[in-house]
Amino acid sequence: MFTFASVNDVCLLDFDGSTIASGHLDNNLRFWDARSGNCIKEVTGIHLGQITSVCPSSDGTQILTNSRDNTLRIVDVRTYETLSMLHADGYKTGTNWSKACFSPDGQYVVAGSADGTLYYWSTRDGTVEKTTKEQSSPIVGVSWVNSSVVSAEKDKTVVVWGTTARRPTVFEK
């Protein structure tokens, strides 16, 4: 596959691995046929800064992008149209590889900010549902598994949110 620009992240969009999505330094989102290596669609103009991550919804109908323009977008993979733009006062994408993700039920999106704050948005209306802060340097990755969110900080600290403990579980190097 020829990617046209440096790639920050890729993901599979379907269970058989036939379609790949990639987010690029040139601010564009691309869809690929994994069997032929051909670009199916290039979506331009959705971000003003490089795309730092791409994440499919659990049903494979939507893809979430995070960008250095400090916004996240939810894109319909059938029409390639932006369904929602997520942003918040204070939210700043911390690194060129900062990851964001959907909740398992697709009702929420979570992303970490440059100041160590986690932001949770509703996918229904794009509002910030809550913020939490346990970390102090840029959050570079998040993953949502069942009812827990795991966040990784640039300084090598990992926090598990949503466990039965009263406070999040913190693992430091």
Side-chain angles (χ1 to χ4, degrees):
M1 282 186 243
F2 180 68
T3 61
F4 309 116
S6 294
V7 179
N8 275 347
D9 199 16
V10 297
C11 67
L12 292 175
L13 287 181
D14 46 33
F15 296 111
D16 65 357
S18 63
T19 308
I20 297 170
S22 56
H24 296 260
L25 266 61
D26 65 2
N27 314 341
N28 296 333
L29 176 64
R30 293 181 178 89
F31 296 89
W32 304 90
D33 180 323
R35 290 175 279 233
S36 70
N38 293 328
C39 185
I40 299 167
K41 179 72 174 176
E42 180 175 10
V43 182
T44 62
I46 63 169
H47 284 290
L48 299 175
Q50 64 184 330
I51 295 175
T52 66
S53 74
V54 291
C55 178
S57 60
S58 60
D59 65 3
T61 62
Q62 300 172 350
I63 190 164
L64 172 67
T65 62
N66 192 10
S67 173
R68 289 295 276 183
D69 68 6
N70 304 317
T71 67
L72 298 92
R73 308 282 174 143
I74 299 173
V75 176
D76 186 310
V77 301
R78 296 164 294 202
T79 64
Y80 306 109
E81 296 294 320
T82 298
L83 301 174
S84 182
M85 184 197 50
L86 309 173
H87 61 91
D89 289 339
Y91 175 76
K92 302 259 185 277
T93 304
T95 66
N96 293 346
W97 58 90
S98 293
K99 309 288 185 222
C101 69
F102 283 104
S103 62
D105 63 6
Q107 298 298 303
Y108 301 95
V109 161
V110 65
S113 188
D115 69 352
T117 302
L118 277 179
Y119 286 79
Y120 296 80
W121 286 270
S122 165
T123 57
R124 182 177 33 82
D125 59 14
T127 59
V128 174
E129 294 287 319
K130 74 175 185 175
T131 61
T132 55
K133 184 164 173 60
E134 185 68 31
Q135 295 163 294
S136 58
S137 69
I139 295 176
V140 297
V142 293
S143 182
W144 202 318
V145 181
N146 299 323
S147 62
S148 296
V149 170
V150 179
S151 60
E153 189 176 3
K154 189 176 180 183
D155 81 350
K156 303 176 185 144
T157 300
V158 173
V159 177
V160 180
W161 304 88
T163 61
T164 56
R166 301 181 115 206
R167 303 259 316 136
T169 305
V170 179
F171 301 92
E172 297 181 84
K173 181 176 180 193

